[in-house]
Amino acid sequence: MNRHLPLVFTLVGLAVGAIALLLLPSAPGRFEYMVQVVDERPVGEGEITPALESMRAVRALTMRSPTPDLPRQVLLVPRLWGRLRNEDCALGILPEDGLWSALAGSESGLERGSISLAGHPVSIPAILQRLTPLFDESLVMNWSPAAQAALSAGGWEGEASYLLFADTWEERNRLLAELKSAPGALPSPGAQILSPAEKPLLSSSARQALAALLICVGLLLLALQLRGLSREDLARRFGRS
């Protein structure tokens, strides 16, 4: 047993390090905790409520294609280029002129290049990182009267939503509670409140600290077992095992 003890400690060190890497939090979508209020009224009738305006909600339009071709969904967000940054792009960079430029969501099935959208040539200079399902599944464009009119004329059906951006789980919960308690906050009685985020088992900082500790333990175990061993010793030891 003693002969195999160093190998056991080495394998334990490797296992501890591997577990630590699994515990490292994956990069969350930057808009993961966003709350979306879907307005059931026709796009032309909907207006933001004073309560939503005081909560800094952003009115966006989801336009759905009349054909099965890509893109199937276009998300029109006002002042889009001021809300995104180059770090939000998995491939490419944000364009300087966004009038007829768009960004492909990570799950939209689109690539960089050019497409024709409702009779207009549209450039796609970048593919977005994972942000939140609404963005991930869409071709994201800056809202403008021209873009909305062109899509509507092409038979695209629109749906208005009010987007509330939150940075943390706690802020998301506060926004949800405010929506449910503030009188007249919802644009219509049938408005839907969507927030697909799930509560993390551990906070990001706690997972990072635990992972770092386990990695250090794993490396320490490896260092203690491998110190003083030559390449020949390692080959002989692992070869016997």
Side-chain angles (χ1 to χ4, degrees):
M1 178 64 184
N2 291 337
R3 185 165 57 89
H4 296 290
L5 194 59
L7 176 60
V8 171
F9 274 96
T10 301
L11 294 177
V12 169
L14 289 172
V16 170
I19 293 172
L21 290 175
L22 291 175
L23 283 174
L24 282 172
S26 59
R30 193 160 70 87
F31 299 152
E32 180 179 2
Y33 299 121
M34 184 185 76
V35 177
Q36 178 187 3
V37 180
V38 181
D39 196 340
E40 63 175 349
R41 298 171 297 175
V43 170
E45 299 177 10
E47 291 184 2
I48 191 169
T49 64
L52 283 172
E53 194 168 18
S54 68
M55 296 168 69
R56 297 183 179 179
V58 176
R59 187 174 188 268
L61 296 182
T62 303
M63 308 294 290
R64 295 188 173 87
S65 173
T67 69
D69 301 330
L70 293 177
R72 298 185 181 91
Q73 179 173 292
V74 174
L75 179 64
L76 300 177
V77 183
R79 300 180 298 279
L80 175 66
W81 313 114
R83 305 183 194 281
L84 295 175
R85 49 192 186 222
N86 281 328
E87 291 78 6
D88 293 321
C89 298
L91 190 62
I93 60 174
L94 298 179
E96 295 182 2
D97 181 6
L99 180 60
W100 286 106
S101 295
L103 303 169
S106 60
E107 298 178 10
S108 66
L110 296 166
E111 303 292 340
R112 291 195 300 169
S114 298
I115 62 171
S116 178
L117 190 64
H120 288 269
V122 175
S123 65
I124 305 177
I127 298 175
L128 291 170
Q129 303 272 12
R130 182 171 64 89
L131 296 176
T132 190
L134 179 62
F135 280 73
D136 298 345
E137 298 165 4
S138 305
L139 178 70
V140 188
M141 294 180 61
N142 189 54
W143 177 88
S144 68
Q148 180 180 345
L151 290 171
S152 297
W156 292 63
E157 294 185 0
E159 179 182 74
S161 292
Y162 303 93
L163 310 182
L164 298 160
F165 296 94
D167 293 328
T168 63
W169 176 261
E170 291 72 23
E171 188 178 356
R172 166 197 177 271
N173 288 343
R174 180 186 62 78
L175 290 172
L176 288 173
E178 193 171 345
L179 279 173
K180 295 175 181 177
S181 62
L186 298 181
S188 60
Q192 291 181 292
I193 301 176
L194 304 178
S195 183
E198 297 181 359
K199 184 178 181 179
L201 295 177
L202 290 174
S203 68
S204 179
S205 58
R207 289 182 69 189
Q208 287 176 340
L210 179 59
L213 176 62
L214 289 174
I215 287 175
C216 290
V217 171
L219 291 176
L220 178 61
L221 287 171
L222 284 173
L224 289 175
Q225 296 307 313
L226 297 180
R227 64 177 181 175
L229 293 179
S230 65
R231 182 181 302 176
E232 291 75 14
D233 293 331
L234 290 174
R236 186 167 53 254
R237 176 168 295 176
F238 283 98
R240 285 201 305 265
S241 64

